[in-house]
């Protein structure tokens, strides 16, 4: 009697906990390109190519290491279209004592897996998700009883637990966080290294053809696919980042540049989220680069914080607050998602650039996601479900456990401040400071009112004005509300009128 180990498309590492007790003499692995998972939202075409190709490569790797593997391709005659039916069918062909599966990353899938035992009348073992450093219990022990859940304090605990960038019990360099040295915009003609490009091999080419024919109505472009699809390739991307870009990661972390979303970022989110890379090895590589004197502390710490801090924190946060996290809508946002989020057709250059980067690459960096695309959704009050679905569709690294806290809690302030101490709302001047988008925009970032004025400028004040009952008492918003109360009333009312006109145009799907 043997066990069936079910491996999901984001669990692609031989070190996953479900393989720990695999008996190569008796057990089998099942991997399947499931239609239900590929289409429950219309994922970006490049994301589907990446996941299917990485799965196929991983299944070959398993077989080469002696793991008996049943692999069901998307267009195979015996593909049953949904995970449960595929497992049921496989169980009908073989005799298994039990099923083992690593804890799925998403709540929806965990609920589904938890029904298998009774439906199939077989023992189902759910092993811990070891693609993360912190366990869910570690997060809930930290979070229980707190009034506020701030990433910064969780991150310090993680530093102490892992001894990363620590000098005995103190943070290396004397500070936990070096953001004060970061957040610089680019000067004129910045010298930006190119990202690592990997040419598709035969397996990826086969998947590209499949996606072109079967997913033609999905968002995004397929051309110039250059992601790694193996662990070896992902390690290569990481190594090039550490050698070439990490040195400037800190200072340019928040900068944006027309026509280039990659900049000094690592581009490894999709590999971490599918298991091709494990978080601790990434952190160790960055820490080593600092200890060897190859990169400054502001870059090493800034990068490590994203993974040891933010990534671990949002994952803990997701499981701690699900399922209610999905229903939050503190600011009662109701607006439908404007078409330009799909087409990129808008005269607002920053939005058009960020949507087009996303369409082309299934990638935009953090500040594009937060302070341009997210900021617009926050200021105009786009309904959480619609904008969450958009973010889940469009990025190659998007999975609900990481997308939902970032979008609902960070961008939309939909949980009334559990995650963020205040809304990440900004006027056009922030975008102008951190990017060169405004230089070639139809609108003028310097103007506050009138048809030429940058819409972010009046939308910002409209947002603060319409939510003052909910936001004014926030201690971090006191200064801005005090500025608002001192503003010239005629000018202020003019901005509110301009915002109303703009929002009406948006409602009528007119070009903005
Ligand atoms: C609205 C919004 C939606 C987002 N959706 C996703 C998503 O679906 N999937 C996703 O992995 N990240 C998401 N992020 C976080 C972040 O933007 C991406 O992880 C990052 O842009 C990926 O590119 P990179 O690998 O070059 O990141 P880098 O800037 O090089 O950062 C390194 C790594 O740190 C981690 N990281 C950084 N910021 C965060 C964060 N806020 N939350 C979790 N991990 C973080 C990621 O694993 C990332 O790969 C979102 C952020 C926002 C504001
Ligand atoms: S002027 Fe306003 S809309 Fe245009 S790019 Fe700048 S911030 Fe964006």
């Amino acid at each position: 009697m043997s066990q069936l180990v079910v491996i999901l498309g984001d669990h692609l590492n031989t070190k996953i906990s479900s393989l720990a007790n695999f008996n190569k003499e008796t057990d089998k692995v099942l991997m399947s390109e499931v239609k239900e998972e590929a289409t429950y939202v219309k994922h970006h075409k490049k994301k589907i190519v990446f996941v299917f190709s990485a799965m196929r490569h991983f299944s070959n790797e398993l077989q080469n290491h002696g793991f008996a593997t049943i692999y069901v391709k998307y267009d195979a005659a015996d593909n049953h279209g949904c995970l449960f039916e595929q497992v049921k069918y496989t169980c009908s062909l073989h005799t298994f004592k039990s099923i083992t599966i690593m804890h799925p990353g998403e709540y929806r899938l965990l609920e589904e897996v938890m029904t298998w035992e009774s439906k199939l009348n077989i023992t189902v073992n759910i092993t811990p998700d070891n693609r993360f450093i912190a366990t869910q219990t570690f997060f809930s022990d930290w979070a229980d009883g707190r009034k506020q859940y701030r990433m910064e304090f969780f991150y310090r605990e993680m530093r102490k637990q892992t001894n990363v960038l620590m000098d005995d019990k103190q943070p290396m360099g004397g500070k936990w966080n070096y953001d004060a040295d970061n957040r610089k915009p680019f000067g004129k003609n910045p010298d930006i290294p190119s990202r690592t490009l990997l040419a598709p091999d035969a397996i990826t080419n086969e998947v590209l053809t499949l996606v072109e024919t079967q997913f033609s109505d999905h968002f995004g472009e397929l051309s110039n696919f250059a992601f790694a699809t193996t662990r070896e390739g992902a390690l290569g991307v990481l190594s090039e980042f550490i050698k070439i870009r990490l040195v400037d990661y800190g200072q340019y972390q928040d900068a944006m540049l027309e026509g280039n979303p990659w900049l000094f970022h690592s581009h490894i989110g999709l590999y971490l989220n599918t298991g091709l890379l494990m978080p601790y090895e990434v952190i160790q590589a960055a820490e080593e680069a600092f200890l060897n004197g190859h990169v400054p502390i502001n870059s090493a710490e800034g990068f490590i914080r994203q993974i040891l801090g933010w990534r671990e924190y949002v994952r803990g946060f997701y499981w701690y607050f699900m399922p209610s996290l999905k229903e939050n809508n503190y600011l009662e946002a109701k607006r439908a998602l404007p078409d330009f989020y799909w087409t990129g057709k808008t005269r607002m250059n920053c939005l058009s650039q960020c949507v087009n980067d996303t369409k082309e690459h299934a990638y935009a960096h953090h500040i594009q996601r937060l302070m341009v695309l997210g900021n617009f959704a926050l200021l105009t009050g786009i309904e959480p479900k619609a904008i969450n679905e958009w973010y889940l569709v469009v990025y190659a690294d998007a999975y609900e456990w990481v997308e939902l806290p970032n979008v609902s809690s960070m961008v939309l302030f939909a949980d009334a401040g559990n995650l963020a101490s205040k809304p990440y709302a900004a006027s056009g001047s922030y975008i102008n400071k951190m990017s060169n988008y405004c230089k070639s925009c139809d609108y003028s970032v310097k103007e506050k009112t009138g048809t030429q004025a940058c819409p972010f400028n009046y939308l910002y004040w409209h947002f603060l004005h319409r939510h003052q009952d909910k936001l004014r008492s926030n201690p971090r918003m006191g200064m801005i509300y005090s500025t608002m109360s001192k503003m010239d009333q005629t000018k202020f009312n003019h901005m509110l009128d301009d915002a109303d006109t703009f929002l009406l145009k948006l409602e009528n799907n007119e070009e903005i």
Side-chain angles (χ1 to χ4, degrees), residues 347-351 372 427-429 431-432 435 437-446 453-457:
R347 292 165 53 226
M348 296 175 73
N349 189 42
C350 51
L351 288 169
V372 178
S427 69
S429 64
I431 296 170
N432 188 35
S435 77
Y437 294 147
C438 302
K439 288 200 173 79
S440 36
C441 184
D442 280 1
Y443 293 100
S444 162
V445 73
K446 302 274 180 252
C454 165
F456 276 107
N457 289 343

Side-chain angles (χ1 to χ4, degrees), residues 456-474:
F456 276 107
N457 289 343
Y458 45 72
L459 289 171
Y460 174 69
W461 292 108
H462 192 272
F463 169 82
L464 292 176
H465 182 255
R466 77 177 184 273
H467 293 301
Q468 56 185 320
D469 290 350
K470 287 180 172 160
L471 301 178
R472 195 184 273 277
S473 59
N474 180 323

Side-chain angles (χ1 to χ4, degrees), residues 241 249 253 262 264-270 272-273 303 305-307 310-312 314 363-367 369-371 374 391-392 395 397-399 401-404 406-407 410-411:
F241 165 71
Y249 177 87
Q253 204 177 337
W262 308 102
F264 290 91
H265 292 268
S266 66
H267 325 142
I268 59 163
L270 70 173
L272 280 167
N273 295 351
F303 177 70
R305 179 166 12 101
Q306 305 312 313
I307 298 174
W310 278 111
R311 184 170 184 274
E312 294 290 328
V314 297
Y363 180 85
H365 75 65
H366 186 70
I367 296 301
R369 298 187 203 195
L370 178 64
M371 297 310 293
Y391 276 101
L392 198 55
Y395 294 113
D397 54 32
Y399 295 85
W401 65 264
V402 52
E403 171 278 324
L404 182 62
N406 272 296
V407 175
M410 193 186 294
V411 160

Side-chain angles (χ1 to χ4, degrees), residues 36-50:
E36 196 177 57
E37 290 305 311
T39 56
Y40 81 96
V41 294
K42 287 185 177 250
H43 302 284
H44 194 297
K45 293 188 192 105
K46 277 199 170 105
K47 178 181 182 184
I48 301 176
V49 174
F50 164 66

Side-chain angles (χ1 to χ4, degrees), residues 81-95:
C82 93
L83 191 61
F84 171 70
E85 290 301 328
Q86 203 63 49
V87 171
K88 186 173 155 193
Y89 172 71
T90 310
C91 288
S92 75
L93 299 180
H94 308 268
T95 311

